[in-house]
Amino acid sequence: MNTVEISVIVPIYRIENYLPDCIDSLLDQSFSNFELILVDDGSPDSCPEICDDYSKKDTRINVIHKKNGGLLSARKAGLEAAKGKYISYVDGDDWVDKFYLDTLFKLAEANDSDLVVTGHFREFNGKIETIKPKMAGIYDEDELKSSIVPNAIYNGDFCEHGMSTYVWNKLFKRELLNKILFDVPNEIVMGEDAAITYAYLAISKSLVISKIPLYYYRQRHDSIVKSIENPNTEYYRLGLLMNFLKLKLSHVIDEPTLDRQIKYYLYSQILVRSGGLIENPLKASFFNPFLEVKQNSKVVVYSSGSFGQHILSTNVKADFFQITKWIDVDFHELIIGGNSVKPISSITNIEFDFLIIATINPSTYKSIKMELGLMGIDTKKIVKINTDESEIQNLLTDLGFDKNFLFQGSLI
């Protein structure tokens, strides 16, 4: 029997429509020395039966059925059962290139790397976008500590990561992953990937980053959470993540640098989840991050992704802006508060005061702004987000976060 070089772990919950494509792509790998661990996290649909059926056809498959405990618990269960030298995580609603494992393995072995990072494809409604890391290269321990880790969470351009949070475009060494994964609290249910990736990076001594795209990430409408039932619960969950990151990275990043990285990361996550308008209980008002935009301004919102959807949903409750149009190049049927998504060609300068590009990624923002300008949109009307550090710190304090980023407010 061949040696198991890579253990591929697939956490599974309510993805019966996508799971066969994922498993088929893994069984079709050019690389043969791997095991496939399917972790059924108490899925209530037909996923358990799908897993069992595949395991009867291929001896490389190991199926774990467990009580539902969340994504982290599924990843831990898979790691406990893993035998490979390396670990690869694949989400069950995605799929991979035929040479996915082969390329990851050769990148790791050729460079004796603790961590491999690659590019990926983003698939949305049949459209495929290629995403490539910017910092391709080989990095030793000194370079990791001096340039990679201090910029991993926040690279100085709000709010862009120096390294992507995803675990699914990476290859980990099992012996190192064992040292950090089981320390991640299962209560972290927002930003689980970031908790794993950055904690692992902090103990790595070698890294290779390749621009080769190998992984197909499927962005689904039904995976986007469109409303916040209890903001304090979300703040509590985000606080757990941020506190964990501070704890795990404190030995490799000086405190002021680390606090600044986490502060901007926390702020960006609150922005997206809140729809921009953040209710400030101490001041009985909304914190409006969109510079120059006033209450009752006529606004066009660009993007029907998570941030865009939250802006529309929040505005339904707050009635802050007059949203005249909702646009996106990824046009699809979606209606929130009477606004449906329109193509970007549908707007004219006279129908709005400001245009909000609903992204916290500066590279994406700049690209969209340029494209809108080419179409004749007045780029002076395109809004910037408030990134003043002192104002952000005041906001976080008002919301109830302490100096270690733990949320101290009431959860009732």
Side-chain angles (χ1 to χ4, degrees), residues 191-205:
E192 303 98 329
D193 280 22
I196 297 170
T197 294
Y198 296 139
Y200 184 93
L201 185 64
I203 64 170
S204 298
K205 295 183 178 180

Side-chain angles (χ1 to χ4, degrees), residues 132-378:
K132 296 181 179 181
K134 293 181 178 180
M135 300 283 290
I138 304 168
Y139 300 90
D140 60 22
E141 187 174 5
D142 290 339
E143 291 168 320
L144 274 169
K145 290 181 177 179
S146 64
S147 61
I148 299 298
V149 178
N151 297 289
I153 298 175
Y154 164 64
N155 71 358
D157 200 359
F158 181 82
C159 177
E160 190 169 57
H161 302 301
M163 177 175 290
S164 65
T165 60
Y166 321 119
V167 298
W168 41 251
N169 66 335
K170 298 175 175 68
L171 188 69
F172 304 88
K173 279 187 176 176
R174 179 164 62 95
E175 62 176 351
L176 286 181
L177 193 59
N178 271 317
K179 293 180 179 180
I180 64 100
L181 184 63
F182 299 103
D183 288 341
V184 183
N186 285 344
E187 292 75 20
I188 294 181
V189 294
M190 297 175 65
E192 303 98 329
D193 280 22
I196 297 170
T197 294
Y198 296 139
Y200 184 93
L201 185 64
I203 64 170
S204 298
K205 295 183 178 180
S206 54
L207 164 72
V208 59
I209 302 177
S210 169
K211 290 190 176 183
I212 300 173
L214 300 164
Y215 188 99
Y216 288 84
Y217 163 67
R218 189 195 309 269
Q219 182 158 344
R220 296 157 40 203
H221 294 309
D222 57 355
S223 67
I224 296 175
V225 179
K226 302 176 181 64
S227 63
I228 298 175
E229 297 300 326
N230 186 341
N232 283 8
T233 298
E234 302 230 338
Y235 297 159
Y236 170 74
R237 291 169 175 170
L238 285 171
L240 289 178
L241 170 64
M242 303 305 162
N243 178 260
F244 177 81
L245 291 176
K246 181 169 182 175
L247 177 67
K248 290 300 182 181
L249 275 69
S250 60
H251 70 286
V252 289
I253 307 178
D254 65 88
E255 188 171 14
T257 299
L258 180 56
D259 282 353
R260 190 162 191 257
Q261 284 200 49
I262 296 176
K263 186 184 305 178
Y264 277 113
Y265 185 29
L266 175 57
Y267 174 58
S268 71
Q269 295 307 299
I270 293 174
L271 279 183
V272 171
R273 299 292 301 156
S274 67
L277 293 173
I278 304 168
E279 190 169 1
N280 189 330
L282 289 187
K283 298 182 179 178
S285 63
F286 284 99
F287 176 87
N288 175 15
F290 305 115
L291 295 176
E292 299 186 26
V293 184
K294 307 298 181 185
Q295 192 164 3
N296 296 318
S297 293
K298 292 188 293 184
V299 170
V300 169
V301 177
Y302 182 107
S303 177
S304 55
S306 181
F307 195 3
Q309 290 186 33
H310 284 130
I311 289 175
L312 270 289
S313 298
T314 299
N315 197 64
V316 170
K317 301 174 184 176
D319 194 25
F320 197 88
F321 307 124
Q322 295 182 45
I323 297 180
T324 61
K325 197 159 285 184
W326 187 17
I327 61 172
D328 200 330
V329 68
D330 287 330
F331 173 77
H332 57 277
E333 296 296 331
L334 192 61
I335 300 176
I336 298 178
N339 291 283
S340 59
V341 185
K342 305 293 183 184
I344 61 174
S345 58
S346 66
I347 60 170
T348 60
N349 285 312
I350 61 172
E351 61 186 306
F352 66 94
D353 301 318
F354 299 98
L355 189 150
I356 295 173
I357 299 175
T359 180
I360 55 171
N361 185 305
S363 298
T364 303
Y365 174 91
K366 292 170 186 175
S367 175
I368 294 171
K369 183 177 180 179
M370 182 192 70
E371 293 295 341
L372 290 171
L374 292 175
M375 295 187 64
I377 299 302
D378 184 355

Side-chain angles (χ1 to χ4, degrees), residues 17-230:
N17 292 333
Y18 311 102
L19 185 56
D21 286 344
C22 175
I23 297 175
D24 286 340
S25 72
L26 287 164
L27 295 181
D28 190 41
Q29 290 296 294
S30 61
F31 186 87
S32 60
N33 300 341
F34 74 96
E35 63 175 346
L36 177 55
I37 303 175
L38 305 177
V39 185
D40 161 34
D41 190 33
S43 188
D45 56 8
S46 64
C47 285
E49 290 77 18
I50 293 173
C51 293
D52 289 339
D53 287 344
Y54 270 99
S55 69
K56 295 172 185 176
K57 302 174 184 176
D58 197 306
T59 57
R60 293 174 295 179
I61 297 177
N62 175 15
V63 179
I64 298 173
H65 296 291
K66 62 182 288 293
K67 182 180 178 180
N68 179 251
L71 182 57
L72 266 175
S73 73
R75 286 179 172 157
K76 289 176 182 178
L79 182 59
E80 286 178 332
K83 300 181 180 69
K85 177 181 179 181
Y86 299 101
I87 300 294
S88 165
Y89 282 111
V90 174
D91 286 354
D93 50 354
D94 300 333
W95 73 101
V96 296
D97 185 271
K98 182 180 180 68
F99 303 100
Y100 166 72
L101 292 179
D102 194 21
T103 306
L104 286 175
F105 181 74
K106 287 177 179 174
L107 285 167
E109 290 287 295
N111 301 289
D112 190 23
S113 180
D114 290 339
L115 179 63
V116 177
V117 181
T118 67
H120 68 276
F121 299 102
R122 170 184 172 267
E123 189 275 338
F124 184 79
N125 273 9
K127 298 179 181 178
I128 294 181
E129 177 185 8
T130 304
I131 312 293
K132 296 181 179 181
K134 293 181 178 180
M135 300 283 290
I138 304 168
Y139 300 90
D140 60 22
E141 187 174 5
D142 290 339
E143 291 168 320
L144 274 169
K145 290 181 177 179
S146 64
S147 61
I148 299 298
V149 178
N151 297 289
I153 298 175
Y154 164 64
N155 71 358
D157 200 359
F158 181 82
C159 177
E160 190 169 57
H161 302 301
M163 177 175 290
S164 65
T165 60
Y166 321 119
V167 298
W168 41 251
N169 66 335
K170 298 175 175 68
L171 188 69
F172 304 88
K173 279 187 176 176
R174 179 164 62 95
E175 62 176 351
L176 286 181
L177 193 59
N178 271 317
K179 293 180 179 180
I180 64 100
L181 184 63
F182 299 103
D183 288 341
V184 183
N186 285 344
E187 292 75 20
I188 294 181
V189 294
M190 297 175 65
E192 303 98 329
D193 280 22
I196 297 170
T197 294
Y198 296 139
Y200 184 93
L201 185 64
I203 64 170
S204 298
K205 295 183 178 180
S206 54
L207 164 72
V208 59
I209 302 177
S210 169
K211 290 190 176 183
I212 300 173
L214 300 164
Y215 188 99
Y216 288 84
Y217 163 67
R218 189 195 309 269
Q219 182 158 344
R220 296 157 40 203
H221 294 309
D222 57 355
S223 67
I224 296 175
V225 179
K226 302 176 181 64
S227 63
I228 298 175
E229 297 300 326
N230 186 341

